[in-house]
Amino acid sequence: MTVSLEQLRRCHVAVDLGAARTRVYVKGAGLVVDEPSVAAVNTRTGALIAVGSFAERMTGRTPDYIRVVRPVSGGTVVDIEMAQRMLRHLLGEKLRRALRRKPRLRAAACTPHDADPLAQRATVETLVGLGARRVELVDTLIAAAVGCGLPVEQPTATMIMVCGAAATQVAVLSLGSIVTAQRIPVGGEAIDHAVVQHLRHAHELMLPSQAVRPLQLALHGNGLTVGGPTSTLIHGRDVATGLARSVQVDTAAVRDAIYTPLTAVLDGIGKVLRDCPPDLVADLTDRGIMMVGGSALLPGLDQMLRDATGMPVAIAERPDVCAVLGLGAMLEGKIAPMVLNPLAE
């Protein structure tokens, strides 16, 4: 996945196919697509009914002949044909015509750290099906670091944590490359699942799929910290009777349920630091960790990392779109490579 800045400057479009959202950056136009990676299909006719946010609102509310699918899982395209159809509709006819007029359309795409060749091939095939003649792959960690303004090309350590829907990626960067990195299969979806399972086991309540994230936000004045309300009223369906029911949920118990999957993230950060050279770890005591990704906005997560690591933790200004904005900056030529001047003899 090693690609030069010169190759990226020749690209016309950048795509970030995430498990939760799909984002497209067009050179000269900026971010043109930022929609959920969801499509709704009529199983009788095979017709595409809806994509993006409208399809996401249909989740759990469709008759049996309509299926809501997610063609991207864990940052990997699992259904190439459906991903192509979803992207085609998200881009729209006008933008597709403008891209087709390019004599030799080049595209850049983010791929998760340590993605296997099959996953990389699926991403390439998806974009080739949309008309791209050449596809450059860039590590999500490097793209996100560039997008949030970290000095990745300098000989100093920068630590970035990409909090995705399906996985969390942690890396230490220096001189424009990854020194050490770890991919932990715990993301926003695992946290949502922990909340749902807690309510099912402790209160015999099934929560609507659309209500998990609002529940997390309702649990807090200060997120995962103890400064929020002691309880909150939750509406759902009784497991035994199937009837609608409301229960008063203890927020401390839900916080404990959320902490459980996050311990794996803390273990991953510890492993990255143990594998990192001591000189770079010394730099990180001042610079700390930069958090990006949609799940970085989980209230109180940054404070939990500060308490666990003793390092400064900051959240990027626009954490959810950092990766695609970083790719866009490379496409636009805003990132200059570090030039080493040879010593004069």
Side-chain angles (χ1 to χ4, degrees):
M1 284 195 303
T2 304
V3 57
S4 70
L5 287 172
E6 188 58 40
Q7 289 171 306
L8 287 172
R9 285 196 193 99
R10 295 175 189 160
C11 294
H12 306 99
V13 60
V15 180
D16 180 13
L17 283 167
R21 298 184 78 86
T22 293
R23 300 176 177 93
V24 180
Y25 184 104
V26 174
K27 195 173 186 177
L31 189 64
V32 295
V33 173
D34 185 3
E35 291 281 339
S37 304
V38 187
V41 186
N42 186 326
T43 56
R44 294 173 181 170
T45 64
L48 201 61
I49 296 172
V51 296
S53 54
F54 184 51
E56 188 177 50
R57 288 201 300 273
M58 295 167 68
T59 305
R61 303 171 187 271
T62 59
D64 57 359
Y65 67 91
I66 295 177
R67 191 164 57 99
V68 178
V69 296
R70 291 182 176 271
V72 184
S73 176
T76 301
V77 178
V78 292
D79 187 338
I80 295 174
E81 183 188 356
M82 188 56 65
Q84 288 173 351
R85 294 174 69 186
M86 180 187 74
L87 265 175
R88 216 171 275 128
H89 281 78
L90 287 176
L91 285 171
E93 185 61 33
K94 184 179 177 183
L95 187 55
R96 286 208 313 275
R97 279 203 305 267
L99 291 176
R100 276 201 297 265
R101 284 198 291 268
K102 305 288 184 186
R104 186 173 172 81
L105 181 64
R106 288 172 175 247
C110 291
T111 53
H113 179 68
D114 281 348
D116 58 78
L118 194 61
Q120 294 179 30
R121 186 68 187 168
T123 303
V124 171
E125 289 291 336
T126 301
L127 297 181
V128 166
L130 290 175
R133 299 294 184 87
R134 185 180 174 93
V135 179
E136 309 289 357
L137 299 180
V138 180
D139 198 303
T140 303
L141 290 163
I142 294 177
V146 170
C148 62
L150 291 177
V152 291
E153 74 282 357
Q154 298 300 320
T156 55
T158 51
M159 190 170 190
I160 189 161
M161 179 174 167
V162 179
C163 308
T168 300
Q169 303 173 69
V170 186
V172 174
L173 310 175
S174 180
L175 288 172
S177 298
I178 296 172
V179 177
T180 178
Q182 190 76 12
R183 188 163 180 253
I184 307 118
V186 173
E189 291 173 356
I191 296 171
D192 294 348
H193 183 70
V195 173
V196 170
Q197 289 303 308
H198 168 74
L199 291 174
R200 188 183 180 99
H201 294 147
H203 300 280
E204 296 185 347
L205 192 75
M206 290 184 69
L207 203 64
S209 59
Q210 304 289 320
V212 179
R213 189 50 57 91
L215 167 61
Q216 291 177 6
L217 301 179
L219 290 176
H220 66 87
N222 298 314
L224 298 179
T225 58
V226 294
T230 56
S231 65
T232 186
L233 187 67
I234 301 298
H235 309 286
R237 192 184 82 184
D238 190 281
V239 172
T241 66
L243 300 175
R245 186 161 67 92
S246 301
V247 296
Q248 201 75 23
V249 177
D250 178 28
T251 55
V254 177
R255 273 197 299 270
D256 290 341
I258 290 175
Y259 270 123
T260 304
L262 291 178
T263 53
V265 176
L266 296 176
D267 291 343
I269 292 173
K271 187 175 188 311
V272 168
L273 292 173
R274 285 194 298 274
D275 293 345
C276 192
D279 291 346
L280 294 180
V281 175
D283 290 345
L284 295 174
T285 55
D286 297 326
R287 293 177 173 273
I289 305 171
M290 177 65 77
M291 293 175 62
V292 301
S295 300
L297 297 171
L298 180 65
L301 179 57
D302 54 339
Q303 186 58 48
M304 189 199 81
L305 291 176
R306 282 189 203 100
D307 297 339
T309 63
M311 295 164 59
V313 177
I315 301 175
E317 188 176 344
R318 298 178 65 188
D320 49 341
V321 294
C322 275
V324 73
L325 290 182
L327 267 185
M330 296 180 200
L331 262 61
E332 303 279 8
K334 296 177 181 177
I335 308 300
M338 186 176 70
V339 177
L340 295 176
N341 293 322
L343 295 175
E345 293 183 2

